[in-house]
Amino acid sequence: MSVLLEVKDLTKNFGGLAAVSNVNMHLDDNELIALIGPNGAGKTTLFNLMTGQTVPSAGSITLRTDSGVQVLNGRKPYKIADMGLARTFQNIRLFKELSVLDNVLISMTSKNKEGLVSSLFRLPAFYKTEARLVKEAMDLLKIFHMQDLADTTANNMPYGAQRRLEIVRALATKPKILFLDEPAAGMNPEETAALTATIRQIQQDFGITVLLIEHDMSLVMNVAERIYVLQYGKLLAEGTPQEIQANQAVIDAYLGGGV
Amino acid sequence: MKRNLKYNLVWLLIAVVGWILINVLEGVGIIDQFAETTLVLIGINIILASGLNLIIGFSGQFSLGHAGFMALGAYAAALVTQAMPTELGLALGIIIGMILAGVVALIIGIPTLRLKGDYLAIATMGAAEIIRIILINLKITNGPAGLYGLPQLASWSTVYVLVVVTTVLTVNFIHSRNGRAVMSVREDEIAAESMGINTTKFKVAAFVFGGMTAAIGGALHATYIQTIAPNDFGIMESISILIIVVMGGIGSMTGTFAAAILLGVLDMVLQSFGALRMVLYSLALILIMVFRPKGLFGTWEFSVKRLFNRKKRAKEEV
């Protein structure tokens, strides 16, 4: 396995606060990695740095692509998404007033650009591509058992379904790496169990790398091959679930030490 | 593929029947000169409002500068047709107006579309004011007096055809991949950006598209009314176009059509009330907004496709 995404000495300062400082990480091909840490540890900031929503103060992020290793920092989020990094959001950010199908189709836009002439005059090619994309989107929805919801307005779906749609929408961009920001937040144990199975299935079927932020330790220990622990913006530990569970520093961080 | 052809043919049929209907009514004398003017103004308002609806309702950017683009189209058409009072001159005037409005929209849009909501509204309003002030101060536009005695080249048929063409193009754009990208910007800019959508590009595209259609509306206004002055294109004009969009339903082209027709007819009927006219007009607006706060149609659209599918389903159930 070789390194797909590499983070070197990544730092982000908000005024005097170092939200992320000198973080080094690497994500390899087809890996399922979890990022954990207490509230305010800087996990989401780290996500935002990697996907381009936030610009790093120092350090570098590089991605291995077909045309060599490319630097990601300083690029616009849509360019980074185009290069194969897709994400979900901690607070759901669906295209609320649009249908489930449209939510998925929008994610396919960047890989299926169209000219102005085609969109204005509806040449036969327009219908052909449109039919192909709808089929692809429906196939993707089927995997998540959401094909019957295709015409539903995203906002009218139950919470769990909205979370699932966020994942489907991210997968529709055909990513190399999928970033999941607390996908199990607000879910009950059954929903979490189903999600755990889904995440595993995604990683295997799509052959992609998954980086997961999660507070639910049963989920994390169940699916993650490798875990990074973040505290006060610094990397506290790295290792397999067994190593992390036995790590004294991690136990102290979570339980307050001296227990 | 065949089914799409059927839907498109039905739409074509509706457009042709509408044209024949107006022709016949005019022949029998039900539509007189006064009613025809009302129809033309309704048509122009449809063109203006559907472009603004694309900007406000579909890309979610609040623009108060629509009259500025309308002015560019009007003056371009007026100046070209003065020099060349033929049908070709009209076509040329419209095209030049559209190009001019498109370029200006691009120049205005790139810096101002970083702003949101009220801030964007004020910036676009300012841009339209700049256009108006330039028109007042230029020699070629005859300053504040404006241009008059223009050749009347646009007939109601011209307006009708252009309403159909701009509507078809706008609706096609909205229902394309590019159109969906535009809507994703309205729904959630951060999420759209994360899904690979170049949000700036699509915002500017919608703004330029809307500006160009406004130029068509302006050109028709100039060549039908035959008189234009910079003050015709002030903030009040932008607001009256906005009223049509809001009343019809922000994000509904069907609503824009209905509101433009309703307000046009209302305006015509109220002509006989004299000074009371504006009071009654405003009262009607207030009542509609109280009882239909999301506009007449909300975001609902009339769709031939859905109509057919419903019929088919009804048949299957029987």
Side-chain angles (χ1 to χ4, degrees):
Chain A
M1 273 204 265
S2 60
V3 175
L4 186 58
L5 184 94
E6 192 167 26
V7 173
K8 265 196 190 138
D9 299 323
L10 197 65
T11 301
K12 176 69 194 178
N13 300 314
F14 291 115
L17 176 84
V20 171
S21 61
N22 290 312
V23 169
N24 288 290
M25 284 173 79
H26 63 94
L27 312 183
D28 299 344
D29 286 314
N30 204 10
E31 246 192 330
L32 217 164
I33 303 156
L35 178 64
I36 63 171
N39 287 327
K43 303 180 295 288
T44 298
T45 306
L46 191 55
F47 255 41
N48 288 343
L49 289 169
M50 288 193 266
T51 52
Q53 270 88 23
T54 312
V55 181
S57 310
S60 74
I61 306 157
T62 51
L63 177 75
R64 196 192 71 223
T65 64
D66 296 337
S67 49
V69 175
Q70 304 253 5
V71 180
L72 293 188
N73 26 339
R75 282 183 204 261
K76 289 258 164 80
Y78 76 88
K79 287 235 172 83
I80 294 178
D82 212 20
M83 290 169 79
L85 272 64
R87 68 170 298 175
T88 66
F89 292 89
Q90 190 177 351
N91 344 359
I92 300 174
R93 279 181 176 275
L94 289 171
F95 305 125
K96 291 193 185 100
E97 299 296 327
L98 301 180
S99 73
V100 167
L101 183 63
D102 278 345
N103 267 274
V104 180
L105 287 172
I106 284 167
S107 289
M108 297 174 161
T109 314
S110 76
K111 293 260 172 8
N112 296 283
K113 294 210 167 65
E114 83 176 322
L116 191 63
V117 176
S118 143
S119 61
L120 289 184
F121 297 102
R122 301 231 170 150
L123 306 173
F126 170 85
Y127 291 108
K128 223 165 145 188
T129 317
E130 200 67 8
R132 175 174 64 80
L133 291 181
V134 168
K135 192 181 169 300
E136 270 178 41
M138 288 306 288
D139 287 346
L140 203 55
L141 284 169
K142 238 175 243 163
I143 297 175
F144 294 84
H145 311 292
M146 295 182 79
Q147 69 273 29
D148 296 333
L149 291 166
D151 292 327
T152 316
T153 307
N155 213 17
N156 294 344
M157 290 197 302
Y159 184 81
Q162 292 194 19
R163 282 240 171 255
R164 256 185 298 156
L165 179 57
E166 274 233 327
I167 299 176
V168 179
R169 189 180 63 170
L171 284 172
T173 65
K174 298 202 172 147
K176 290 183 184 131
I177 307 175
L178 178 63
F179 293 77
L180 300 174
D181 197 347
E182 295 201 26
M187 285 190 175
N188 62 34
E190 288 104 73
E191 285 173 321
T192 308
L195 181 77
T196 310
T198 309
I199 293 173
R200 262 221 202 93
Q201 189 200 345
I202 292 169
Q203 188 230 1
Q204 282 161 7
D205 294 359
F206 291 82
I208 58 176
T209 301
V210 178
L211 179 65
L212 171 81
I213 292 183
E214 192 45 68
H215 282 298
D216 189 316
M217 284 307 138
S218 67
L219 195 162
V220 169
M221 297 301 164
N222 243 322
V223 299
E225 294 161 17
R226 215 146 50 82
I227 298 176
Y228 284 102
V229 187
L230 211 60
Q231 194 196 15
Y232 302 126
K234 290 195 180 75
L235 218 49
L236 189 68
E238 180 208 338
T240 63
Q242 292 75 25
E243 286 165 6
I244 295 295
Q245 273 168 333
N247 188 313
Q248 196 54 45
V250 176
I251 295 169
D252 287 348
Y254 269 89
L255 300 177
V259 180
Chain B
M1 206 66 47
K2 257 189 199 140
R3 243 187 305 157
N4 289 321
L5 189 67
K6 189 167 83 180
Y7 303 141
N8 292 342
L9 282 178
V10 172
W11 278 114
L12 185 68
L13 195 72
I14 293 175
V16 171
V17 167
W19 190 77
I20 292 172
L21 189 71
I22 297 176
N23 245 340
V24 168
L25 288 179
E26 203 164 42
V28 210
I30 296 178
I31 296 182
D32 53 8
Q33 186 55 45
F34 179 55
E36 191 194 296
T37 307
T38 306
L39 275 182
V40 166
L41 291 181
I42 288 173
I44 292 173
N45 277 336
I46 288 175
I47 294 176
L48 293 168
S50 56
L52 187 63
N53 201 357
L54 176 69
I55 299 172
I56 296 183
F58 291 90
S59 80
Q61 310 302 314
F62 196 59
S63 166
L64 265 183
H66 218 55
F69 301 117
M70 187 188 169
L72 293 175
Y75 272 90
L79 291 170
V80 172
T81 52
Q82 263 185 341
M84 199 204 249
T86 57
E87 304 281 314
L88 183 70
L90 176 64
L92 210 61
I94 293 175
I95 291 168
I96 291 174
M98 283 173 74
I99 294 171
L100 188 65
V103 170
V104 172
L106 196 67
I107 295 169
I108 295 172
I110 290 172
T112 59
L113 287 172
R114 292 161 193 273
L115 304 171
K116 288 193 169 61
D118 322 355
Y119 306 102
L120 177 63
I122 290 167
T124 49
M125 192 176 96
E129 274 304 281
I130 293 172
I131 293 173
R132 192 175 67 90
I133 301 295
I134 290 175
L135 291 175
I136 288 179
N137 287 291
L138 280 183
K139 209 166 234 159
I140 189 172
T141 59
N142 199 23
L147 300 167
Y148 37 84
L150 302 167
Q152 190 181 34
L153 290 166
S155 63
W156 75 263
S157 306
T158 324
V159 176
Y160 190 88
V161 168
L162 283 173
V163 166
V164 172
V165 170
T166 52
T167 307
V168 167
L169 293 185
T170 313
V171 170
N172 278 356
F173 179 72
I174 289 168
H175 291 168
S176 69
R177 257 165 288 154
N178 289 331
R180 274 198 299 263
V182 166
M183 282 192 270
S184 76
V185 174
R186 169 192 75 190
E187 293 294 315
D188 194 318
E189 222 174 307
I190 292 175
E193 191 103 1
S194 300
M195 297 303 134
I197 306 284
N198 183 349
T199 53
T200 313
K201 185 178 114 186
F202 284 106
K203 268 196 277 188
V204 172
F207 194 65
V208 169
F209 194 116
M212 287 172 90
T213 53
I216 300 178
L220 292 173
H221 176 91
T223 47
Y224 187 82
I225 308 283
Q226 295 164 271
T227 306
I228 50 170
N231 287 342
D232 296 347
F233 309 105
I235 179 72
M236 278 321 291
E237 181 61 28
S238 291
I239 290 184
S240 52
I241 304 167
L242 179 66
I243 288 173
I244 296 171
V245 174
V246 173
M247 254 196 57
I250 294 175
S252 164
M253 285 295 165
T254 315
T256 296
F257 262 72
I261 292 168
L262 184 72
L263 291 180
V265 171
L266 191 67
D267 201 36
M268 182 177 79
V269 173
L270 290 177
Q271 292 287 348
S272 49
F273 285 85
L276 261 181
R277 180 175 145 247
M278 280 325 282
V279 177
L280 291 173
Y281 186 81
S282 311
L283 198 67
L285 287 184
I286 294 171
L287 286 176
I288 292 171
M289 288 333 287
V290 167
F291 290 105
R292 305 283 305 183
K294 286 195 160 171
L296 293 170
F297 287 88
T299 53
W300 185 85
E301 294 284 13
F302 172 72
S303 153
V304 170
K305 191 173 167 181
R306 216 177 316 130
L307 212 63
F308 268 110
N309 288 348
R310 194 177 300 160
K311 243 198 240 156
K312 213 165 74 186
R313 221 175 300 148
K315 235 185 244 165
E316 275 164 15
E317 273 165 25
V318 171

